[in-house]
Amino acid sequence: MADRYNVLVIGGGGREHAIVWALKKSPKVNKLYCLPGNAGIAQLAHCQDIAATDIEGILAFLDGHKDINYVVVAPDDPLAMGLVDILNQKGYMTFGPKKDAAIIESSKAYAKSLMKKYNIPTADYEVFDNYDEAIKYLKTAKYPLVVKADGLALGKGVIICQDFESAQKAVKDMMIDKKFGASGDKVVIEEFLQGFEVSVLAFTDGQTLIPMPPSQDHKRALDQDLGPNTGGMGTFAPSPKFTKKMQDYAYHNIFMPTIKALQAESRTFSGVIFFGLIVDGEDIKVLEYNARFGDPEAQSVLPLLRTDLFEIFLAINEKRLDKINIEWSSDCAVCVVMASGGYPGHYQKGYPIEIGALDGNIILFHAGTAIKDNELVTNGGRVLGVTAVGQDLQAARESAYKNIHKINFKDKHFRKDIGIK
Ligand code: AMP
Ligand code: GLY
C-alpha cells in the first residue's frame, strides 16, 4: 500500500469536477490527473483531451505517466465497457464496479430481472427483443406506460407514453430506426408509477452499504418540470421529503437486498451505486440503478461530505467499509446548472464566460467549459453547476440564485425553481 497516491479520474463533467475537488483535499492524494477534464478541473488536476471512452488512449496515457497508481472511473460508458477490469488486469488500483456489476445500469432488462428474482420493489414490466411482439403487447396494454431502451442512451432512452400511437413511435424509434444504436435492440415496457423521485447514492464494497444524504434531481429543462428531459438541471441535498422511516425501509428492502442479490449472482458491486427511487405514500420502488455517482447529484452531495473521500475509496478497495465512520455536514446544498441556450437540443459552443466575485459558500463546478485563446468559454450543453452550501435549503437556494446572477455567457439558461419541490 502506497503512502500517497497519484490519481487519475476518468471523465470531464460536473460530477468529475466534484470528485476531483473532494480528492484534492485528501492528504493521501499527491498528484491528480483527469481525462479529458474541463477548464475548472484543469485548475486542480493535469488534464488531457482524451475521451472517457477512448480505452486505447487512456492506456497509452497511463503508459506515459508511470507515476499514476490509482484510477477512478466515473462515467457510465467506460464502466459498461469494462475499463475497471482492464485496469485491474494491468495492476492498477481502481474505483468503480467491474463490467459484470455495472450491468445493472447498462442493461435495464438485466436490472429488472434481478429485481424480479430477488423481490426488490419496482414497476411491473415486460421485455421485448422482437418489434412485432412489442407492438402486439402495446395494443392491449394500460396507459400511460413507459418505454425504455435496454442500454445506455445518455438519459434519453426513457419515453413516457400516454397512448398507443406515442408508444408505437417510441418502440419504432428504438427497435427499427435505431435512434440509440444497439441500446434499442431490446426494450423494457413498464407500468407508469406516480410519486416523487429521490436519488440515493451509496458507497459499497459489495458487503457493507453506506447511503449518502438523499438528493433530488430536476430532469426537465424548464421550470415546474416542463420541457424535455435533460441530464439534470439541478439538485439539492438532503431531501427533506425522504424521511428517516423511508430511508430505513429502503435500506432493508431495496439497498441491502440489491447488494446481496449481486453477490449471489457473482457480480459483487464495488463503488458507488445509485438508486433512482419513486415514493408514493408508503410505497417505495426502484425506477433505475446507476453504477456511479449521479450528475448533478454529486455536485450537491459531495460538498456535504466531511470524511476524506479518498479514505473511503481505499476502505472500499480493502473491503473494510464497515470499519470506517463516514461523517456529513448538517448543512444543505443546492446546485443550479447553467446550461447553453437550446440544451438538451442544439446549442452553440465557444461563448466567453464572465464570472464576478462569488460568495465564500459557493463552489463553482465546471461541466462543459474550455479555455480558448486564454479565455474561459462554453463547451457543452451543461456548462456550470453553481453549488451553494447553507444552513438550510432556503438559505442555500437563495445564495445559489444570488450568485448565479454574477455569472454570464450568451444565451445562458437555468431553472429558477431548483430546491423548491
Ligand atoms: P430512468 O432513466 O429509468 O430513471 O428514467 C428517467 C426518468 O423517467 C425518471 O427519472 C422518471 O422521471 C421517469 N420514469 C422512468 N420510469 C418510470 C415509471 N415506471 N413511471 C413513471 N416515471 C418513470
Ligand atoms: N442525474 C441522473 C444521473 O446521473 O443519471
Side-chain angles (χ1 to χ4, degrees), residues 51-308:
T53 48
D54 179 2
I55 307 273
E56 292 304 314
I58 292 167
L59 294 178
F61 181 84
L62 284 166
D63 270 340
H65 296 81
K66 296 281 187 211
D67 59 329
I68 296 172
N69 50 4
Y70 196 104
V71 185
V72 180
V73 183
D76 51 2
D77 281 310
L79 288 168
M81 291 162 83
L83 181 55
V84 167
D85 309 54
I86 295 167
L87 294 170
N88 289 162
Q89 276 157 21
K90 293 193 175 289
Y92 289 100
M93 284 180 80
T94 51
F95 186 79
K98 291 188 177 173
K99 183 178 178 167
D100 63 3
I103 191 175
I104 57 163
E105 175 169 9
S106 61
S107 170
K108 289 186 190 288
Y110 179 82
K112 296 296 287 191
S113 69
L114 187 82
M115 288 186 264
K116 191 177 207 170
K117 182 169 173 188
Y118 292 90
N119 286 316
I120 297 164
T122 188
D124 286 339
Y125 73 103
E126 298 288 337
V127 178
F128 297 93
D129 58 11
N130 177 292
Y131 175 75
D132 294 326
E133 279 171 26
I135 299 301
K136 192 172 147 201
Y137 173 81
L138 289 177
K139 282 182 179 154
T140 58
K142 268 209 323 210
Y143 290 85
L145 53 69
V146 188
V147 175
K148 301 185 174 186
D150 175 50
L152 299 178
L154 296 168
K156 292 176 186 151
V158 174
I159 316 286
I160 294 168
C161 305
Q162 300 297 335
D163 50 38
F164 172 76
E165 282 68 35
S166 58
Q168 182 183 32
K169 180 178 182 313
V171 170
K172 182 168 174 287
D173 282 350
M174 290 175 194
M175 299 187 88
I176 305 289
D177 300 336
K178 299 282 173 212
K179 201 168 162 187
F180 307 110
S183 287
D185 288 351
K186 252 191 245 173
V187 296
V188 173
I189 300 179
E190 72 178 32
E191 169 199 14
F192 177 82
L193 298 176
Q194 306 272 2
F196 75 87
E197 288 179 47
V198 58
S199 305
V200 180
L201 283 54
F203 294 110
T204 181
D205 58 9
Q207 281 149 12
T208 303
L209 177 139
I210 302 181
M212 303 183 213
S215 56
Q216 280 179 254
D217 192 6
H218 299 65
K219 288 210 167 108
R220 302 292 203 97
L222 308 175
D223 288 6
Q224 288 159 358
D225 290 336
L226 298 174
N229 257 323
T230 69
M233 293 298 292
T235 49
F236 62 89
S239 158
K241 276 178 156 177
F242 196 58
T243 61
K244 177 80 176 58
K245 192 173 163 210
M246 294 173 187
Q247 293 179 38
D248 286 345
Y249 173 89
Y251 180 84
H252 293 289
N253 295 280
I254 294 174
F255 306 162
M256 285 314 290
T258 299
I259 292 308
K260 288 190 180 140
L262 285 163
Q263 228 177 62
E265 298 291 321
S266 301
R267 293 177 185 273
T268 299
F269 192 104
S270 168
V272 167
I273 182 166
F274 170 135
F275 300 90
L277 305 176
I278 190 158
V279 184
D280 184 15
E282 298 268 283
D283 210 22
I284 305 179
K285 290 193 169 123
V286 178
L287 281 184
E288 64 162 346
Y289 294 124
N290 293 321
R292 51 175 174 80
F293 281 101
D295 189 348
E297 283 87 343
Q299 292 93 298
S300 60
V301 170
L302 287 176
L304 302 178
L305 178 63
R306 285 240 173 97
T307 305
D308 180 335

